[in-house]
Amino acid sequence: GKVVVRYDPRDISMIWVELDDGRYVEARYRNLEIPPVSLWEYREAMRKARALGKSGSNELVLAELIRQQRQIEAESRGLTKAERRTRERKGTLKGTNSAVSTTEGLRPIDTGDTSRPLFKVERW
């Protein structure tokens, strides 16, 4: 027959099943090591599992996909807008100067070398 199942979409790790006499019984994950999951996270993990060709019924695969997504979210949440901009600038600078910095390194400058442009110096 039909069974009434109630759940909170913010945490589907715990559901309540209505019995014939009107009482509710709490049901949890079979594997209690899996963290609580929202309905949205569960649906995204199922979508990603299908896209990767993995079996969506395996709760350990879903838990790993959810853990990976949470890690990505935590890393992006930790970066402020200014910090992201700074990283982008540093990445751009590293990309343009990486060949020069790795080949030259630290060495004494030959002032007699005329291949390098000389800049005017203002003395006060």
Side-chain angles (χ1 to χ4, degrees):
K2 293 185 178 182
V3 178
V4 176
V5 177
R6 299 189 188 275
Y7 62 90
D8 181 1
R10 297 170 294 180
D11 179 11
I12 61 170
S13 67
M14 182 173 38
I15 61 171
W16 293 273
V17 180
E18 186 177 5
L19 301 176
D20 293 334
D21 60 356
R23 293 181 304 131
Y24 285 92
V25 176
E26 181 182 324
R28 292 190 163 268
Y29 290 146
R30 177 177 19 169
N31 184 352
L32 295 177
E33 293 177 0
I34 299 173
V37 177
S38 71
L39 183 59
W40 177 84
E41 287 176 313
Y42 172 76
R43 286 180 178 162
E44 281 296 309
M46 286 291 288
R47 185 186 59 75
K48 192 169 186 177
R50 276 190 229 110
L52 294 172
K54 295 183 180 181
S55 171
S57 62
N58 187 348
E59 60 191 20
L60 295 177
V61 170
L62 291 175
E64 179 60 25
L65 290 171
I66 290 168
R67 186 196 62 74
Q68 289 173 359
Q69 183 61 34
R70 285 181 179 176
Q71 183 179 358
I72 291 168
E73 290 173 6
E75 289 171 1
S76 66
R77 206 177 301 123
L79 297 176
T80 63
K81 191 174 186 178
E83 200 171 349
R84 284 193 304 268
R85 286 181 180 169
T86 303
R87 284 187 181 192
E88 288 175 12
R89 285 186 200 119
K90 285 181 181 178
T92 322
L93 290 175
K94 285 180 184 176
T96 57
N97 294 335
S98 62
V100 174
S101 62
T102 56
T103 57
E104 290 187 7
L106 293 176
R107 62 186 172 116
I109 298 173
D110 181 12
T111 55
D113 185 9
T114 58
S115 66
R116 295 183 184 266
L118 296 176
F119 300 101
K120 293 182 180 179
V121 178
E122 183 178 321
R123 294 182 191 224
W124 313 351

